[in-house]
Amino acid sequence: MVNTNPLIAQPPKEVPLKKAPLIRAIAQVRFPPILSIEKKDFVASFQEAIREKYPILQPEQTQGLVFGSQGVMQIAPQLTWRFVDLTNNWRVSLAPNFVALETTAYSSRRDFLERLESVLVALNNSFNPQIIERFGLRYIDRLVGQDAKDIGSLVKPEIAGIAATEFREYVQQTINESLFIMPEGGEQIIARWGIIPAGATFDPDAIEPIPEPSWILDLDMSLSKNREFSIEELMSESNRFAERIYTFFRWVVNDEFLRRFGGEL
């Protein structure tokens, strides 16, 4: 367990979890719009670069939303290319203003970041984006059944909150959200946690509804700042974000959580 400030503490040694409750990991790079990404002839070289690992192509028209002072506004639909692996566990998404890698079968930080680097190399070789506007990394854990009922013994009391009370069985939904600004660098971490009922979600793109209640821990670290597109710097940033999110995760959970999900202490 990390008992000091998780925003500045040294990252702890990783404890691999054989039965990790991690349901999704996502990395996304946003850049100024490149209109040629909408045209299939321009996307061919990108597809060839990643097709061996992600051979299934699923183009989608997605509806964008903008949150502004006038409320939520729809923007013009845009084409997003989805490249999926044979197991349907890994997906690369490419749109005019972003590229993303996500998985529901995360095995290790090293594997995920190596795959991310391959995607960035393909993006650079095909489209040379030059500038990035935002980079984000997100990890989502989900506990169900007895694990969710035992949340009071698995995480810090301030995180378990009302989910660990004696009337927990009557709590249908409780979602907490905290925004942290890193002391140096201006990165932010949005942490969300709590109970969601059966058949519900607060983010349908990342957290699929399931037929039973669950307890969610969603850690999302990002930096919104225009800077030069550099694979080397992005990978350094990715490593740093992954370490900080893991440090925050280890602050949230206690040793019983690690043992419950196959960690060897």
Side-chain angles (χ1 to χ4, degrees), residues 171-222:
V171 179
Q172 292 297 301
Q173 177 172 311
T174 172
I175 298 297
N176 302 273
E177 178 176 303
S178 295
L179 169 64
F180 304 90
I181 303 298
M182 299 298 292
E184 298 179 357
E187 301 93 342
Q188 68 176 30
I189 295 177
I190 297 177
R192 304 178 188 88
W193 68 91
I195 296 171
I196 58 175
T201 178
F202 57 84
D203 184 348
D205 290 331
I207 304 172
E208 296 177 352
I210 60 173
E212 61 180 314
S214 57
W215 188 87
I216 297 290
L217 175 63
D218 179 1
L219 301 176
D220 185 349
M221 183 170 180
S222 64

Side-chain angles (χ1 to χ4, degrees), residues 46 50 54 81-83 90-94 99-101 119:
F46 179 84
I50 65 169
Y54 313 96
W81 305 95
R82 309 285 194 189
F83 305 91
W90 289 85
R91 185 172 75 170
V92 175
S93 299
L94 177 67
V99 68
L101 171 69
V119 171

Side-chain angles (χ1 to χ4, degrees), residues 97-112:
N97 60 345
F98 76 86
V99 68
L101 171 69
E102 60 185 300
T103 183
T104 57
Y106 187 93
S107 60
S108 71
R109 184 187 305 172
R110 179 178 179 179
D111 174 53
F112 186 80

Side-chain angles (χ1 to χ4, degrees), residues 43-59:
V43 176
S45 63
F46 179 84
Q47 182 189 26
E48 281 306 303
I50 65 169
R51 191 163 60 87
E52 183 175 352
K53 286 186 175 179
Y54 313 96
I56 302 171
L57 175 61
Q58 298 172 336

